[in-house]
């Protein structure tokens, strides 16, 4: 099975959107625990007793963040590595550069969603932060891009290094799990 670049990117995005749905309630509980303390169960009970729909607070930005992250991790990094390999640049440094590049793009695009999600999840009563658009506008108009991108350099380090490490693990485990593949995982005659 040979996937096109577009198929790889779209399937990565779909996986990220789905993972956003799964991780969002847990991250909401974590943010609420960080603000108010309490155990996992007492925090979940407090949130659900307000209204069960509150467990979806921040869902849209979580889905966007995760979609962008997985496009970079499972899509862009392997595509760039395959592109480099076809040009006889299949070195450790080349793979590291691909991870840094895709990690940088993913971080810059996903960080505003992460910031908005965290603000929204910390404000269940919607005192300052409404939906995604209102939260972004509030942060931007009051604090500027500096606040929206607060912590981005640290997050870049984590994201880019994880892209590199995860793809090295995939590279070494895939032949063990799925057998040696004769064809590359993607068709890159043109970057679609």
């Amino acid at each position: 099975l040979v996937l096109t670049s577009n198929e790889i990117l779209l399937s990565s995005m779909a996986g990220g959107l789905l993972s956003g749905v799964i991780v969002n309630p847990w991250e909401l509980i974590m943010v609420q625990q960080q603000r108010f303390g309490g155990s996992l169960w007492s925090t979940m009970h407090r949130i659900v007793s307000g209204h069960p729909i509150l467990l979806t607070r921040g869902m849209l930005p979580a889905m966007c963040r995760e979609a962008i992250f997985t496009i970079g991790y499972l899509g862009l990094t392997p595509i760039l590595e395959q592109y480099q390999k076809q040009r006889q640049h299949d070195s450790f440094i080349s793979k590291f550069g691909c991870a840094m590049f895709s990690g940088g793009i993913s971080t810059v695009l996903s960080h505003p969603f992460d910031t908005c999600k965290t603000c929204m999840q910390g404000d269940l009563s919607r005192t300052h932060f409404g939906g995604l658009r209102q939260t972004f506008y509030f942060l931007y108009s009051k604090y500027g891009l500096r606040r929206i991108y607060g912590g981005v350099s640290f997050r870049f380090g984590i994201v880019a290094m994880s892209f590199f490490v995860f793809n090295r693990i995939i590279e070494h485990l895939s032949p063990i799990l799925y057998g040696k593949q004769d064809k590359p995982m993607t068709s890159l005659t043109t970057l679609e």
Side-chain angles (χ1 to χ4, degrees), residues 56-97:
T56 65
R57 180 89 166 125
M59 182 78 70
L60 179 60
M63 292 171 67
C64 293
R65 179 202 64 198
E66 293 296 309
I68 295 167
F69 177 84
T70 56
I71 286 170
Y73 157 45
L74 294 173
L76 188 57
T77 301
I79 288 171
L80 290 174
E81 288 180 2
Q82 186 66 36
Y83 180 80
Q84 289 292 87
K85 186 176 185 176
Q86 289 176 352
R87 279 144 189 78
Q88 278 69 47
H89 299 291
D90 191 26
S91 67
F92 179 86
I93 298 298
S94 175
K95 292 174 182 178
F96 186 76

Side-chain angles (χ1 to χ4, degrees), residues 37-188:
S39 70
L40 172 70
W41 300 113
S42 67
T43 303
M44 189 176 351
H45 178 69
R46 180 175 50 78
I47 294 168
V48 172
S49 67
H51 201 287
I53 197 78
L54 286 175
L55 284 173
T56 65
R57 180 89 166 125
M59 182 78 70
L60 179 60
M63 292 171 67
C64 293
R65 179 202 64 198
E66 293 296 309
I68 295 167
F69 177 84
T70 56
I71 286 170
Y73 157 45
L74 294 173
L76 188 57
T77 301
I79 288 171
L80 290 174
E81 288 180 2
Q82 186 66 36
Y83 180 80
Q84 289 292 87
K85 186 176 185 176
Q86 289 176 352
R87 279 144 189 78
Q88 278 69 47
H89 299 291
D90 191 26
S91 67
F92 179 86
I93 298 298
S94 175
K95 292 174 182 178
F96 186 76
C98 292
M100 293 300 111
F101 181 77
S102 60
I105 290 172
S106 296
T107 300
V108 167
L109 294 177
S110 68
H111 197 75
F113 292 108
D114 190 49
T115 300
C116 290
K117 177 202 72 71
T118 302
C119 291
M120 291 168 65
Q121 289 180 333
D123 185 15
L124 291 180
S125 63
R126 296 174 169 248
T127 304
H128 297 290
F129 305 108
L132 176 58
R133 187 175 25 177
Q134 294 88 355
T135 300
F136 184 84
Y137 179 76
F138 178 84
L139 291 171
Y140 181 74
S141 63
K142 188 160 179 148
Y143 304 106
L145 283 177
R146 183 171 290 208
R147 173 72 168 97
I148 292 169
Y149 278 98
V152 73
S153 58
F154 180 75
R155 188 160 177 264
F156 164 73
I158 293 170
V159 169
M161 289 306 294
S162 68
F163 283 13
F164 180 72
V165 170
F166 294 162
N167 278 284
R168 297 300 55 79
I169 292 170
I170 289 170
E171 178 181 50
H172 291 9
L173 282 181
S174 290
I176 295 168
L177 296 173
Y178 307 111
K180 179 86 172 138
Q181 301 293 317
D182 294 332
K183 297 180 183 175
M185 64 164 220
T186 179
S187 169
L188 291 179

Side-chain angles (χ1 to χ4, degrees), residues 8-45:
I8 291 171
L9 294 172
L10 286 172
S11 60
S12 299
M13 182 182 73
L17 290 170
L18 180 60
S19 72
V21 172
I22 295 167
V23 302
N24 186 71
W26 296 105
E27 289 183 354
L28 171 67
I29 293 166
M30 176 186 69
V31 168
Q32 288 294 303
Q33 280 183 299
Q34 290 169 340
R35 279 201 70 200
F36 303 110
S39 70
L40 172 70
W41 300 113
S42 67
T43 303
M44 189 176 351
H45 178 69

